[in-house]
Amino acid sequence: MTAKRILLWGLTFVAIAAITFDLIGSWSQPQFQSRLELAQNDLLLEAAEYRGNQTTPVLTDRTPQKTALKAYQDTRSSVEKAIVSAQSQIEEDSATDPIKVELAKQQTLRDELDIRIGILQTQQNQVEAALKSWATLKTTGSQTKKSSELRSTATTLTALWQNSLPPQAESILKQNLNGWFRNRALEKLYTLEQRETALNELRSLEQVESQSALTKWVTANAIPTIAMVLGFGLLLFLAGQWLLQRKQSLLVGTNLIKWAVPWDYEITWQVLVVGFFAVGQILIGQILLPTGLAVAKSAFQIDPTMFTVRDRAVLALITYVCLAAGGLGVLYASIKRFLSLEDNWFRFSLKGKWLLWGVGGYVAAYPLLVGVSWVNEKIWQGRGGSNPLLSIALEGQDGIAITLFFITAAILAPLFEETFFRGFLLPSLTRYFTTWQAIVLSGLIFAIVHLSLSEVAPLTVLGIILGFVYTRTQNLMASVLLHALWNSGTLLTLFLLGSTST
């Protein structure tokens, strides 16, 4: 065995071990989907207060408070499981610093959920249950600033719903609550204080906020609804065509598409393990960037834990540029002696039906991924981790940060990942597998390297659809467009849900 193969085998074992540990570690982390559902419920709570020119709410046929309470309680249950898992690792002396940091984050999140659960319970005439929720939170032992703020909020809310007036109640509620939850607490305060003017001003302001929330809620749901309807129609068409035409159908025709692959499995193996893992995950992700942050922290007194959303958006962009440059550099170095390739390799062309295939793939993917995600959530029960960039994007309403997230997720990610997984990996696999087998295998690898258990199934489905669209067009413009539309839709939803009034 040559030294090169020994090195490749060593890197492969390290890669498999690292990916396995990351996937197992993601089990104790909550899914981002839970946060997204809570944000959707928060927006609907605000929107449901809008009355327009009526005396009754516009959304009279909905029960958003009851739905939101269940969503918050389900999320709290998932967070509690994550806390128990992290605590058990600490008790066994097997916890690393990231696990301890994650535990603190989950404990703070649990306390934030208890605050909101209690307010929702008061609106369902469950005052005693609300007082218990806040009593549990008030006994937390954490000494962080955030925990102190949460305890003072719980104390203030408890006093209000026991019909007493605590000191500095208004400033505490305005500082530590937002949106619908803040308005309900202030409404209770102003009612007890018998401040009719303040109460009327609050209700007037809430109507303005609710109208804006209703517009955002409709916008956030319009694109998914349209995509869902069109997607079902397209899937029915494809199924009917397959039943009637079989070998001439769009689905079966993929089996006829082939690439002339001039390299063997070792080149494919080398690009995947060295280019994506060794350079991207180890050299850049674990050595260069952490070292750079450590130097910056020492030389410029920069504390990464204090990064703003804009700072993290810049860091995400830099990280992705470095990862893409490293991966594509290894790819080029590995195949340059085989150049030039046939026209159907790495083709970006504005000719042909790539636009139709990209948009069609997007709408077809929507109902499939919604269905898979629903089943996935039932299986994982809100656990399994998610892309950390999603929660950062949800939190940030800075215009520059949103632009940087868009460049990273909707431009750079589609270009790099489609070039790597569809442009190189999928065709390379057709030397040893059928085209459909190569589509499925490349889609599975694409999902696994995202390192979240809860995302493996939906991202595999997305990867399969991306692979199908690419093989039908043999034009990376089609799969890049589909990928960009999917990521852009996610970012748009996060922006609308994260931009509720504060």
Side-chain angles (χ1 to χ4, degrees), residues 36-46 64 67-69 71-72 497:
L36 192 60
E37 289 178 1
L38 295 186
Q40 289 173 327
N41 278 290
D42 290 351
L43 193 61
L44 184 55
L45 285 170
E46 284 200 69
T67 302
L69 178 57
Y72 269 93
L497 295 179

Side-chain angles (χ1 to χ4, degrees), residues 69-179:
L69 178 57
K70 184 179 185 306
Y72 269 93
Q73 289 173 331
D74 289 345
T75 301
R76 190 194 187 284
S77 177
S78 298
V79 170
E80 189 64 44
K81 291 177 182 177
I83 290 173
V84 171
S85 176
Q87 287 175 333
S88 66
Q89 293 181 61
I90 291 176
E91 291 173 358
E92 295 170 2
D93 295 326
S94 61
T96 60
D97 287 338
I99 292 178
K100 294 176 181 178
V101 171
E102 184 63 27
L103 173 61
K105 287 171 57 179
Q106 295 307 314
Q107 289 174 328
T108 300
L109 176 57
R110 178 190 58 190
D111 292 344
E112 292 174 343
L113 293 174
D114 281 337
I115 291 285
R116 297 191 170 206
I117 286 172
I119 295 175
L120 282 163
Q121 287 169 329
T122 63
Q123 303 305 299
Q124 298 289 305
N125 296 319
Q126 301 174 19
V127 176
E128 289 301 320
L131 295 177
K132 289 181 181 178
S133 296
W134 297 327
T136 300
L137 183 146
K138 287 190 295 181
T139 59
T140 181
S142 177
Q143 299 301 314
T144 65
K145 179 181 178 182
K146 183 63 177 178
S147 294
S148 176
E149 292 172 349
L150 291 171
R151 284 196 298 272
S152 67
T153 305
T155 300
T156 300
L157 291 171
T158 299
L160 289 178
W161 264 273
Q162 289 178 333
N163 297 319
S164 63
L165 294 172
Q168 299 180 325
E170 186 170 11
S171 62
I172 290 173
L173 297 178
K174 286 183 176 180
Q175 180 179 349
N176 300 326
L177 296 175
N178 57 51

Side-chain angles (χ1 to χ4, degrees), residues 176-189:
N176 300 326
L177 296 175
N178 57 51
W180 182 88
F181 297 92
R182 178 197 60 204
N183 292 338
R184 298 289 71 75
L186 289 175
E187 184 178 53
K188 179 67 173 178
L189 172 65

